[in-house]
Amino acid sequence: MTEPNTQPPRPAGPEREEILAELLVLRFRRGDSRAFREIVERWEKRLFYYLRRLCGQEQESWDLLQQTWLKALRGLGGLREPRKLNAWLYTLARRSAADRIAALAAENSRRADEAVLDEIADDSPGPEEFADAALVHWGLDKLELPQREILTLFFLEDFSLAEVAEILELPLGTVKSRLHRARSALREVLSREGGLR
Amino acid sequence: MSRERINLRDNLLAQERVSPELESKYKEELNKMFTEKLSVPKSIGTFILAGLRLLIGLAEI
């Protein structure tokens, strides 16, 4: 007979990430400077990848990442929902980029014209469909900025559509349509040109 | 996030090619920022603590 498991269940997946984020923020607020370094180490690569998909230039991406950390350092003490640290960091990164990248600013002004498709299934991209990282990495750069951006967010993080809507400052319906279009565009690029590489 | 998605993300991040020079310049700037911004509250805290110790020490005399 096996012993009954008396250990409380360990949180898994997104919940664990959120708890970890909250702990880091609380440690930072208590004056633990190592907490901020841990935040940087944990998110640095992902934010750099995201920023580089936005602006293309490496030097500029490093600069924007640095600006993002500066903003984070200033704002972390007042972050209202520490569990949302992940989405908040992407929001800061995007705002840093929007201040400097004309294409992103132009994209922001065009978004009002974007048609929203009705009745779209909530189908975030999964590994079943896009499993080849090298191909996806190559394909992302072939997409237009809005599609590249939304897919990058979905490939890097386990964000809900609502969180993506918050980061992109877009209505939920627009996020759904954009994701749907972006998936189709990537699929098309990979099937049309991917095989020719 | 499922194991497959984490793998995909890690593999995607591994595709990114960066210039070691630019990366080390960024790290240098970041360290400078850490030293300037993160060490300030510590210095202030140390200063306040030293002041309190001095006051307590004076009161004991």
Side-chain angles (χ1 to χ4, degrees):
Chain A
M1 197 174 138
T2 54
E3 289 286 318
N5 186 4
T6 52
Q7 295 288 319
R10 292 181 67 187
E15 199 194 342
R16 189 174 174 275
E17 287 285 310
E18 286 181 356
I19 293 169
L20 184 79
E22 189 169 24
L23 284 174
L24 285 168
V25 175
L26 294 178
R27 278 176 51 203
F28 173 80
R29 286 179 182 168
R30 282 173 45 197
D32 181 353
S33 61
R34 284 170 308 173
F36 193 79
R37 287 174 192 266
E38 281 179 45
I39 290 172
V40 170
E41 280 166 22
R42 200 169 177 82
W43 272 275
E44 193 173 48
K45 273 190 172 182
R46 294 183 250 169
L47 289 174
F48 179 80
Y49 191 90
Y50 171 62
L51 284 167
R52 198 159 179 193
R53 301 285 85 65
L54 289 184
C55 74
Q57 300 296 317
E58 185 185 348
Q59 171 72 67
E60 185 143 39
S61 305
W62 288 121
D63 290 348
L64 290 171
L65 185 57
Q66 202 190 325
Q67 271 184 31
T68 304
W69 294 131
L70 198 58
K71 285 181 181 173
L73 200 52
R74 287 177 185 147
L76 202 56
L79 181 62
R80 269 182 285 178
E81 288 184 90
R83 285 188 173 219
K84 301 281 179 195
L85 176 67
N86 191 13
W88 182 69
L89 288 173
Y90 280 90
T91 305
L92 293 185
R94 191 175 199 280
R95 285 182 187 161
S96 300
D99 289 343
R100 298 256 297 261
I101 303 166
L104 198 61
E107 197 276 305
N108 284 352
S109 65
R110 272 200 308 271
R111 57 180 37 172
D113 306 329
E114 188 167 335
V116 175
L117 301 173
D118 291 328
E119 299 297 320
I120 293 173
D122 176 4
D123 52 353
S124 56
E128 307 80 21
E129 190 179 7
F130 302 111
D132 186 336
L135 211 54
V136 169
H137 179 70
W138 172 83
L140 281 174
D141 282 343
K142 308 288 169 211
L143 302 180
E144 287 179 15
L145 178 62
Q147 298 174 340
R148 185 166 66 240
E149 180 179 23
I150 200 165
L151 276 182
T152 303
L153 286 174
F154 271 91
F155 282 125
L156 292 183
E157 304 294 342
D158 205 10
F159 287 137
S160 65
L161 289 170
E163 282 173 315
V164 174
E166 235 174 85
I167 294 167
L168 301 183
E169 296 175 70
L170 283 172
L172 192 61
T174 311
V175 167
K176 282 185 184 177
S177 334
R178 191 178 285 190
L179 179 63
H180 182 80
R181 289 196 182 98
R183 282 166 58 91
S184 306
L186 182 61
R187 205 177 293 129
E188 198 185 315
V189 163
L190 296 187
S191 65
R192 190 182 61 224
E193 298 178 60
L196 301 176
R197 289 175 73 209
Chain B
M1 197 180 243
S2 68
R3 178 46 51 194
E4 288 92 340
R5 281 194 69 174
I6 291 171
N7 286 343
L8 177 63
R9 175 175 78 186
D10 291 347
N11 292 336
L12 207 53
L13 294 175
Q15 299 294 317
E16 191 72 276
R17 296 284 170 263
V18 296
S19 136
E21 291 80 25
L22 293 179
E23 188 176 12
S24 89
K25 198 178 155 206
Y26 154 80
K27 297 267 182 202
E28 209 175 286
E29 291 291 321
L30 200 65
N31 275 331
K32 215 184 287 175
M33 187 181 91
F34 281 152
T35 314
E36 284 170 11
K37 309 279 178 187
L38 291 176
S39 60
V40 170
K42 204 177 173 183
S43 307
I44 292 170
T46 311
F47 183 72
I48 291 170
L49 206 63
L52 282 172
R53 278 183 183 149
L54 184 69
L55 284 173
I56 292 165
L58 287 174
E60 279 175 357
I61 294 168

